[in-house]
Amino acid sequence: SVVIAIAASTILGVVIEKVAYTPLRKAPRLSLLITAIGISFLLENGAQLLFGADTKSMDPIVTGQVMLGSLKISKAALLTIAVTIVAMVALTLTVQTKLGKAMRAVSEDMGAAQLMGISLNKTISFTFAIGSALAGIGSVLYLCAYQQASPTMGSMLGLKAFVAAVLGGIG
């Protein structure tokens, strides 16, 4: 189920990119931010229609604790740390590949990257796939810690990300 969740998240992210963001390539960045908020509402409300608005209890993926001296650490927390390290290393290695260089070039100057022969569509879709896969991994780790799922469980995380984007600068 973990692999299915990550794969579904990746596919959904690429589909959203093709449907919602590709038509806005030349639009101002604020339009993209507003679209992201709209997609967030669409996903939350769509999940509420499909699964209902109530919280569903999930079977724990990882149970138990590890004793380190007098310190108790849950196995879920250790799993989260381990998976995060692996994901960060994998992302770092990916960004150092040819496709990673293309991602950085498109991020820096889309027009110049296109003039250098970089395929904008492939690069942006790949970037969305990576981001969506990481979101899928994050959601599985979130469920490891809390064992409850609801359509709005990511709302607070999304709000914090939105605040970070606004404070960091939309551009």
Side-chain angles (χ1 to χ4, degrees), residues 1-10:
S1 64
V2 171
V3 173
I4 292 170
I6 295 168
S9 179
T10 303

Side-chain angles (χ1 to χ4, degrees), residues 24-156:
L24 298 175
R25 287 274 160 78
K26 305 235 188 273
R29 291 194 185 240
L30 186 58
S31 299
L32 297 172
L33 186 64
I34 293 168
T35 301
I37 294 168
I39 291 293
S40 173
F41 286 143
L42 178 75
L43 291 173
E44 285 180 15
N45 290 311
Q48 283 183 355
L49 282 173
L50 283 174
F51 306 112
D54 56 332
T55 300
K56 310 263 191 286
S57 294
M58 307 295 288
D59 292 332
I61 298 171
V62 178
T63 59
Q65 296 181 339
V66 174
M67 293 292 295
L68 296 173
S70 63
L71 183 65
K72 289 183 186 177
I73 301 176
S74 72
K75 288 182 180 177
L78 292 175
L79 177 68
T80 299
I81 292 168
V83 169
T84 301
I85 290 170
V86 169
M88 286 189 319
V89 168
L91 183 61
T92 300
L93 293 174
T94 301
V95 171
Q96 293 174 355
T97 64
K98 185 177 179 181
L99 197 50
K101 288 179 184 177
M103 288 168 50
R104 289 179 283 163
V106 169
S107 163
E108 189 67 34
D109 188 343
M110 203 177 285
Q114 194 170 19
L115 288 173
M116 297 302 291
I118 295 171
S119 170
L120 293 180
N121 289 333
K122 287 181 184 176
T123 305
I124 293 172
S125 292
F126 181 73
T127 305
F128 263 82
I130 289 175
S132 300
L134 290 172
I137 291 169
S139 66
V140 169
L141 294 174
Y142 192 81
L143 282 175
C144 283
Y146 297 107
Q147 288 111 31
Q148 292 182 350
S150 72
T152 59
M153 65 189 257
S155 298
M156 188 53 66

Side-chain angles (χ1 to χ4, degrees), residues 30 33-34 36-37 156-168 170:
L30 186 58
L33 186 64
I34 293 168
I37 294 168
M156 188 53 66
L157 299 173
L159 182 61
K160 289 177 183 179
F162 174 73
V163 170
V166 169
L167 291 177
I170 300 299

